[in-house]
């Protein structure tokens, strides 16, 4: 789960934000001074910073500048007045979003999610797709079922990755051919069937009654979409 660093000197505000963010499954770090916040940022590598403008120790503006000099970590600036926000935007600090006090913690959580989504971070730390007892590690290019490693050819892996990345979406043979081999010739569409057959032989508990990869008659294949709790 992404780690959020809150740099804010109003203790009560930090407490409320922390509780909402933790409920949303974020890990939360906090600092009440600009300079200690900057140190935490350097040492703990959070995924996003919620940064108050007026801070003891080191001004929020300077903290943001220092972070921007070294990284493109998402920053949400918190200001006490709308006029301050206007001024900050004019300074082109490169903050990803601005929030004016007073705000609802719920709104902050929504903004955090939106900014992280834009930054493409939520999946970055743990790039693993899970379905049933199947685990597909997209970084390591490994697949396992019930903790046992399954050996796949590069084409099989690519096919599985394509299907499992979008559960429930139907892919035509031609699309799968394109995704798994980089090009597609209509005459070779049926080779996909052979790859799928091999893939099923490796990942399906029961190949006569496939669970993970479903055949969509007349079109192609799709990966099982499990209902989330
Ligand atoms: Ca303040």
């Amino acid at each position: 789960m992404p780690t959020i660093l809150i740099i804010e000197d109003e203790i009560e505000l930090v407490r409320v934000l922390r509780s909402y963010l933790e409920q949303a499954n974020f890990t939360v770090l906090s600092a009440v001074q600009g300079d200690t916040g900057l140190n935490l940022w350097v040492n703990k590598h959070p995924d996003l910073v919620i940064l108050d403008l007026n801070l003891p120790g080191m001004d929020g503006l300077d903290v943001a500048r220092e972070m921007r000099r070294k990284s493109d970590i998402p920053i949400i600036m918190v200001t006490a007045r709308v006029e301050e926000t206007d001024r900050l935007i004019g300074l082109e600090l490169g903050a990803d979003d601005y929030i004016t006090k007073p705000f609802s913690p719920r709104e902050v959580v929504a903004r955090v999610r939106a900014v992280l989504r834009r930054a493409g971070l939520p999946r970055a730390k743990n790039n693993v797709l899970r379905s049933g007892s199947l685990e597909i590690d997209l970084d390591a290019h490994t697949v396992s079922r019930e903790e046992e490693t399954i050996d796949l050819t590069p084409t099989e892996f690519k096919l599985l990755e394509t299907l499992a990345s979008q559960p429930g979406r139907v892919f035509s043979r031609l699309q799968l051919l394109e995704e798994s081999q980089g090009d597609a010739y209509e005459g070779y569409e049926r080779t996909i069937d052979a790859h799928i057959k091999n893939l099923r032989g490796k990942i399906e508990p029961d190949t006569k009654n496939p669970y993970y990869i479903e055949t969509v008659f007349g079109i192609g294949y799709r990966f099982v979409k499990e209902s989330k709790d």
Side-chain angles (χ1 to χ4, degrees):
M1 270 298 126
T3 300
I4 313 298
L5 170 60
I6 305 171
I7 311 179
E8 164 66 72
D9 58 330
E10 286 175 53
I11 309 286
E12 182 53 23
L13 200 55
V14 174
R15 196 188 63 75
V16 173
L17 276 183
R18 172 188 287 275
S19 131
Y20 272 80
L21 286 165
E22 284 178 350
Q23 266 176 43
N25 280 325
F26 291 105
T27 303
V28 178
L29 305 167
S30 64
V32 293
Q33 295 200 174
D35 48 354
T36 52
L38 199 59
N39 284 340
L40 264 183
W41 171 68
V42 169
N43 293 319
K44 301 285 186 180
H45 313 289
D47 299 296
L48 180 146
V49 180
I50 297 174
L51 178 62
D52 186 27
L53 177 63
N54 298 306
L55 288 167
M58 184 178 183
D59 187 64
L61 275 182
D62 295 329
V63 175
R65 277 203 195 93
E66 190 60 19
M67 288 177 176
R68 270 293 163 270
R69 251 177 8 101
K70 294 174 182 157
S71 89
D72 54 4
I73 180 166
I75 300 174
I76 298 179
M77 288 291 288
V78 178
T79 65
R81 294 192 309 276
V82 180
E83 305 86 76
E84 282 178 349
T85 305
D86 291 342
R87 192 168 62 85
L88 283 180
I89 292 171
L91 285 175
E92 294 178 348
L93 273 179
D96 296 84
D97 204 351
Y98 298 88
I99 297 175
T100 309
K101 291 175 186 174
F103 48 74
S104 84
R106 241 180 266 278
E107 188 198 344
V108 176
V109 173
R111 300 273 197 104
V112 164
R113 285 211 180 97
V115 168
L116 281 175
R117 206 163 36 236
R118 284 207 298 273
L121 276 172
R123 257 174 47 152
K125 266 198 175 160
N126 197 3
N127 221 354
V128 177
L129 301 173
R130 289 190 182 81
S131 177
S133 53
L134 201 64
E135 275 200 11
I136 307 161
D137 188 321
L138 300 179
D139 293 330
H141 272 233
T142 55
V143 177
S144 61
R145 197 184 70 207
E146 280 160 9
E147 321 248 304
E148 266 188 61
T149 306
I150 299 170
D151 285 317
L152 298 183
T153 66
T155 300
E156 289 161 2
F157 185 86
K158 194 70 200 151
L159 271 179
L160 183 60
E161 178 184 1
T162 302
L163 288 162
S165 294
Q166 295 180 67
R169 173 178 164 190
V170 180
F171 289 88
S172 71
R173 291 179 175 81
L174 203 61
Q175 284 171 328
L176 289 174
L177 199 61
E178 205 164 47
E179 292 289 342
S180 61
Q181 318 206 312
D183 50 17
Y185 303 97
E186 280 182 40
Y188 293 108
E189 278 176 87
R190 293 287 156 180
T191 63
I192 285 298
D193 294 347
H195 288 303
I196 293 283
K197 182 164 181 280
N198 293 337
L199 189 52
R200 278 176 170 159
K202 293 177 181 179
I203 67 168
E204 295 287 356
D206 175 7
T207 51
K208 293 214 166 52
N209 194 5
Y211 172 78
Y212 294 109
I213 300 176
E214 301 166 333
T215 303
V216 181
F217 188 73
I219 304 175
Y221 299 94
R222 76 171 158 225
F223 197 80
V224 64
K225 184 168 187 152
E226 297 174 310
S227 52
K228 295 272 176 238
D229 44 57

